[in-house]
Amino acid sequence: MSDSEYSEEEEEVAPAVEEHGDVQGADILKARQDAKRAELDAQLQEYIAEWRKQRSKEEEELKRLKEKQAKRKVLREEEDKRLAIQKREEEDRLRREVEQKRQDEKNEKIRRLEEIEKKKQMALQAGRKDQKAANPNFTVVAKKEPQATDFKTTSGSSDKFSNVETARMDLLKSKEQLEEEKRISLSIRIKPLVIDGLDLVSLKAKAQDLWENIVRLETEKYDLEERQKRQDYDLKELKERQKQQLRHKALKRGLDPEALTGKYPPKIQLASKFERRVDHRSYQDKISLYAGGLEAAVLQESEKTWQDRMGEFVNRPRARLPKWFGERPGRKPGDPETPEAEEVKIDDEIPDPILPQDEPEEEEEEEEEAEEEEEEEEEEEEEEEEEEE
């Protein structure tokens, strides 16, 4: 075989070998991929099985918890119902106790008021029996003499203040308490009228008794009205006396007579809190003090003082010179004689020019010391007054 033929055969065998190798490699790759896919499917099935198992456990646990929650809810509702019933029973018991206590207090109060009213009625009946024969009507007596009423005989002072404490206690009571006391009092005073089974004579006696009771009540009403009138007159008189005393007191203090008779004390106008003098100056006058008016006021006051003193000096009595050897110095010849009544003796005031009276120095020193002591005392008194103010 020549070389050309051999090369041709090699060229024909090489493509066949290459094709066979490609087929085997594809089969191997496919087998490998199938194996990997099978492994993944197995792992996925295991994971799904594990997940389903875990899911079933969670569902069972959730179901158990829901059942437990439902049981606890039922138990809680039963406990709430039991507690509500117990609380309602406790409240009912407390309310019954409070009502029972209030009822007991009310009954005790009613019993006490009934006893007081019975004692009062017994006292009224005893007083009526004592006063019926003597003087059944009301008599106005003097203030200092004892007053006799239908139910009781008391002195003048006790008659004025016998019911003061009772009236004071009545003012502190409420409207409901007063209504209750009124009802109890009326139930004792006004007894039920029983006329069943009474004959004509008993009915007449009952009517006569009722008529006497009406007359007695009208008499008591008249007596109380007259007593109230007398007490009103006494109060009016006492108020008038009080006003008179306050008027005199105000006049003593230098105030208006009606200053202390009002509801409030009088207002005191003060120039300052240290000086209790009324300032009658107007607002413009007070403003002028801060605008230089104080200096003008001081100058005006000084001028007025100087004018007053100058007037006193001008209008002073003129002293005449004493006579010397029977003649008055300065008298001209031919002038009339001065009457003796018009002479002013100034011997005590003007010393003798020839023989002057010299006072001893000790007396002058004593007088100076006395003046200094007086000045010190006055200063101390002024300081004490300022401290008191």
Side-chain angles (χ1 to χ4, degrees):
M1 181 176 296
S2 62
D3 292 334
S4 60
E5 291 177 358
Y6 181 76
S7 59
E8 288 177 359
E9 287 178 1
E10 285 182 357
E11 289 176 0
E12 291 177 358
V13 171
V17 173
E18 289 178 0
E19 291 177 1
H20 182 69
D22 292 337
V23 172
Q24 288 181 356
D27 293 338
I28 292 168
L29 180 61
K30 185 176 180 181
R32 190 179 296 170
Q33 289 178 352
D34 291 339
K36 190 179 290 186
R37 191 180 294 110
E39 185 180 357
L40 290 174
D41 291 339
Q43 289 180 358
L44 184 60
Q45 288 177 0
E46 290 178 1
Y47 177 76
I48 291 171
E50 186 69 24
W51 177 80
R52 287 177 178 175
K53 185 178 180 181
Q54 187 70 21
R55 179 66 177 174
S56 63
K57 288 183 180 179
E58 290 178 357
E59 288 178 353
E60 291 176 359
E61 183 69 19
L62 183 61
K63 185 177 180 181
R64 185 178 62 81
L65 290 175
K66 286 183 178 180
E67 291 176 355
K68 186 177 180 181
Q69 184 180 9
K71 290 180 181 179
R72 290 181 63 184
K73 187 176 182 180
V74 172
L75 292 175
R76 191 180 298 109
E77 289 177 356
E78 293 177 356
E79 185 71 16
D80 292 340
K81 290 180 181 179
R82 187 177 61 79
L83 290 175
I85 294 171
Q86 184 177 358
K87 185 178 180 181
R88 194 181 304 111
E89 291 176 355
E90 184 70 17
E91 290 177 355
D92 294 340
R93 184 181 63 79
L94 292 175
R95 186 169 58 256
R96 286 195 299 271
E97 290 179 358
V98 172
E99 290 178 356
Q100 184 67 26
K101 185 177 180 181
R102 189 183 294 111
Q103 188 66 27
D104 294 340
E105 292 177 356
K106 187 177 180 180
N107 295 333
E108 180 66 21
K109 184 178 180 180
I110 292 172
R111 185 184 61 78
R112 187 170 61 254
L113 292 173
E114 288 178 352
E115 291 179 357
I116 293 171
E117 188 65 26
K118 287 179 181 179
K119 291 180 181 178
K120 188 176 180 180
Q121 293 296 326
M122 292 173 63
L124 288 172
Q125 292 177 2
R128 281 196 296 270
K129 289 180 182 178
D130 295 339
Q131 297 295 329
K132 188 174 182 180
N135 188 9
N137 294 327
F138 181 81
T139 304
V140 178
V141 296
K143 291 183 181 179
K144 296 183 181 179
E145 296 179 3
Q147 293 184 351
T149 59
D150 289 342
F151 62 92
K152 172 178 186 181
T153 302
T154 57
S155 62
S157 61
S158 63
D159 182 61
K160 289 183 179 180
F161 303 103
S162 59
N163 295 326
V164 172
E165 191 66 25
T166 305
R168 186 180 300 171
M169 294 299 294
D170 291 339
L171 291 175
L172 299 176
K173 294 178 181 178
S174 63
K175 188 176 180 181
E176 291 77 8
Q177 292 176 347
L178 293 175
E179 289 292 335
E180 184 68 21
E181 292 180 3
K182 181 180 178 181
R183 187 183 61 79
I184 294 169
S185 178
L186 290 177
S187 65
I188 295 172
R189 293 183 183 183
I190 303 173
K191 297 179 181 179
L193 184 62
V194 181
I195 57 175
D196 296 338
L198 296 179
D199 55 357
L200 184 60
V201 178
S202 300
L203 287 173
K204 287 184 178 180
K206 191 71 174 177
Q208 184 66 24
D209 189 12
L210 292 174
W211 174 255
E212 291 178 356
N213 192 14
I214 292 171
V215 172
R216 178 179 57 80
L217 292 174
E218 289 294 333
T219 305
E220 290 180 359
K221 180 182 176 182
Y222 175 77
D223 295 342
L224 292 174
E225 287 177 353
E226 292 296 323
R227 181 181 178 186
Q228 184 179 5
K229 290 179 182 179
R230 183 56 184 267
Q231 289 178 350
D232 293 341
Y233 177 78
D234 292 341
L235 289 174
K236 187 176 180 181
E237 186 178 355
L238 288 173
K239 288 181 179 178
E240 189 63 30
R241 289 182 184 177
Q242 186 182 15
K243 284 185 179 180
Q244 291 293 338
Q245 292 177 358
L246 292 174
R247 288 191 186 100
H248 290 301
K249 190 175 180 180
L251 290 173
K252 286 182 180 179
R253 292 185 177 182
L255 302 174
D256 187 72
E258 301 295 333
L260 302 177
T261 57
K263 185 178 179 181
Y264 301 102
K267 293 182 180 179
I268 300 175
Q269 296 181 356
L270 301 179
S272 66
K273 69 183 211 178
F274 302 105
E275 185 177 7
R276 295 186 178 179
R277 289 188 299 179
V278 181
D279 191 1
H280 296 286
R281 292 176 296 182
S282 64
Y283 179 75
Q284 295 296 333
D285 295 339
K286 294 178 182 178
I287 288 293
S288 64
L289 295 178
Y290 297 96
L294 182 60
E295 297 177 357
V298 171
L299 291 175
Q300 186 178 0
E301 187 69 22
S302 301
E303 185 68 20
K304 184 179 179 182
T305 305
W306 185 85
Q307 292 290 344
D308 294 340
R309 292 184 180 179
M310 188 64 184
E312 292 177 0
F313 176 75
V314 171
N315 297 328
R316 75 186 188 284
R318 300 301 179 92
R320 297 182 180 277
L321 295 175
K323 292 182 179 180
W324 288 73
F325 301 103
E327 292 183 1
R328 193 178 305 281
R331 179 175 173 274
K332 296 179 180 180
D335 290 344
E337 293 289 339
T338 304
E340 295 296 331
E342 294 182 2
E343 292 181 359
V344 179
K345 295 182 181 181
I346 54 173
D347 296 339
D348 297 337
E349 298 178 0
I350 301 174
D352 191 358
I354 300 174
L355 298 174
Q357 297 178 0
D358 296 334
E359 295 180 357
E361 296 180 358
E362 295 180 357
E363 294 180 357
E364 292 179 357
E365 292 177 357
E366 291 177 357
E367 290 178 356
E368 291 178 356
E369 291 178 357
E371 290 178 356
E372 291 178 357
E373 291 178 357
E374 291 179 356
E375 291 178 356
E376 291 177 357
E377 292 178 356
E378 290 178 356
E379 291 178 357
E380 291 177 357
E381 291 178 356
E382 290 178 356
E383 290 178 356
E384 291 177 358
E385 291 178 356
E386 290 179 356
E387 290 177 357
E388 291 176 357
E389 291 178 356

